[in-house]
Amino acid sequence: MTTSRPAPWVSVVLCAAVLVAGVYAAASGLGTTRLPLLAGGLALLVAVDLAEVRRYPVRTPKRVAAALLALRAALYVAVSYVDGSGLARLLLLLVPFTAYFAFGQATALALAAACLAVAVISTPGWYAHVEQVSDLVMFTVGLVIAIAMAAVAVRERDGQIRLQESHRTVAELSAAAERARVARDLHDDLGHHLTAIVVLLEKAAAFHDREPATAKAAVLDAERSARRALGEVRESVRSLRSFHLLAALDELVAGQGDVTLTISGAPDGHDTGALHALYRAAQEGITNSRRHAEATHIAVTVDLDAERARLTVTDDGHGMGAAAEGFGLLGMRERVALSGGRVDLASTSCGTRLTVTIPAARTA
């Protein structure tokens, strides 16, 4: 959406009205109307307006606006001299109207007072004629209406600009949130499986000569983990609506003899996003236990009841140290916080305990 210049039609409508009145005055013999000069001056005014709108579709720079305003004022006066109907004087209403957009209310009011003074000075003895007094009163009312219209148009324009800026900000924040989500998913999915593959291949290398069967089993487990990683990358583009926590956890620990899984309760009543956050936390907990704590046994416990969902990952490693506050834990905290939960981490030289608690979804 592009914000356009406020009320660009006002000047064109007034110029058309002056032209019609001038043609009528010339045909009726009212006053002295130089029709070719009148039409040429009005056409030049419209051309100036169209050129400005095309060059500056939203807001004209102040220096350019000042020059164009002076040009318009000169043309208004010139057109008034060749118009026998007297209606061309209404074009002076466009002076404060146009100035409002570039210079604000104070300048527009000052120019309105100047235009009224010009109208009064150009009408000698106006106070002795009821018609001229009425014309000046109507001119004053026209100035007030012009300024009020400009004020409304400027507020609408500025509101549209702010709305567009808000839309851009929301779009940028949404894009940033999506990038963060993708980064978390990549870290959680690929990081977990790649860590498992590295550990299994190291095991295969260590037992290659002494226990070929053990080494072969480790290689096969690494292959399975790689295939799971590929499958999860493909699944990451699908909706979370099809996510099943219990099956996902079973698949996560399958083939990993150093990991035990205990599940109690059912996921019914828990938000899909919360269950997915628990799964990602389990991935990260297992990965960190292997990568940083060098644990030999990891226990994953999931407890689902009507009040909350809780995941606990404990290991017998030597603690996680500074790695406990790495990117993985940060992503976990962000994901769990989006579901209204919390992450607690206790790490010592005797082992690490990760606890994720997310309240159950409330229904009206």
Side-chain angles (χ1 to χ4, degrees), residues 284-285 288-289 292-293 315 318-325 345 347-348 351-352:
E284 181 66 18
N288 285 340
S289 293
H292 304 297
D315 65 53
H318 56 60
M320 300 175 64
E325 295 299 328
L345 182 67
S347 183
T348 67
T352 300

Side-chain angles (χ1 to χ4, degrees), residues 48-80:
V48 170
D49 291 340
L50 293 178
E52 182 183 9
V53 171
R54 178 171 296 183
R55 178 65 181 84
Y56 306 106
V58 177
R59 183 182 287 111
T60 306
K62 289 190 176 182
R63 290 187 178 181
V64 178
L68 291 177
L69 186 61
L71 174 60
R72 287 190 177 96
L75 288 173
Y76 296 154
V77 174
V79 168
S80 298

Side-chain angles (χ1 to χ4, degrees), residues 306-337:
E307 296 298 323
R308 50 101 178 103
R310 174 173 292 170
L311 167 80
T312 304
V313 180
T314 58
D315 65 53
D316 59 355
H318 56 60
M320 300 175 64
E325 295 299 328
F327 178 80
L329 183 59
L330 174 62
M332 184 197 307
R333 291 188 188 278
E334 291 175 349
R335 193 188 302 275
V336 172

Side-chain angles (χ1 to χ4, degrees), residues 163-175:
L163 182 60
Q164 291 181 18
E165 292 174 349
S166 298
H167 287 167
R168 283 194 294 270
T169 301
V170 170
E172 291 172 358
L173 292 175
S174 298

Side-chain angles (χ1 to χ4, degrees), residues 16-218:
V18 171
L19 179 61
V20 170
V23 171
Y24 176 79
S28 304
L30 301 175
T32 302
T33 301
R34 301 175 184 178
L35 197 55
L37 293 177
L38 176 64
L42 293 174
L44 184 55
L45 282 170
V46 173
V48 170
D49 291 340
L50 293 178
E52 182 183 9
V53 171
R54 178 171 296 183
R55 178 65 181 84
Y56 306 106
V58 177
R59 183 182 287 111
T60 306
K62 289 190 176 182
R63 290 187 178 181
V64 178
L68 291 177
L69 186 61
L71 174 60
R72 287 190 177 96
L75 288 173
Y76 296 154
V77 174
V79 168
S80 298
Y81 275 109
V82 298
D83 176 36
S85 70
L87 191 64
R89 188 167 63 173
L90 291 179
L91 292 176
L92 290 176
L93 298 177
L94 295 175
V95 173
F97 179 81
T98 304
Y100 202 113
F101 299 128
F103 306 107
Q105 185 180 54
T107 301
L109 290 174
L111 290 175
C115 290
L116 181 59
V118 169
V120 171
I121 293 172
S122 63
T123 312
W126 58 270
Y127 45 83
H129 304 279
V130 175
E131 291 183 356
Q132 293 179 352
V133 171
S134 177
D135 289 343
L136 289 174
V137 170
M138 294 304 297
F139 184 76
T140 303
V141 172
L143 288 172
V144 173
I145 294 175
I147 292 176
M149 287 180 59
V152 172
V154 166
R155 281 198 293 270
E156 181 180 358
R157 178 196 64 188
D158 294 344
Q160 290 178 352
I161 292 175
R162 287 193 294 269
L163 182 60
Q164 291 181 18
E165 292 174 349
S166 298
H167 287 167
R168 283 194 294 270
T169 301
V170 170
E172 291 172 358
L173 292 175
S174 298
E178 183 63 12
R179 287 193 296 269
R181 184 193 68 79
V182 171
R184 288 194 300 265
D185 286 350
L186 287 174
H187 178 275
D188 293 343
D189 282 331
L190 294 181
H192 167 78
H193 288 296
L194 290 176
T195 298
I197 291 171
V198 169
V199 171
L200 290 169
L201 291 178
E202 289 177 347
K203 180 179 179 181
F207 286 88
H208 180 269
D209 295 327
R210 292 179 296 169
E211 298 181 22
T214 302
K216 182 178 180 180

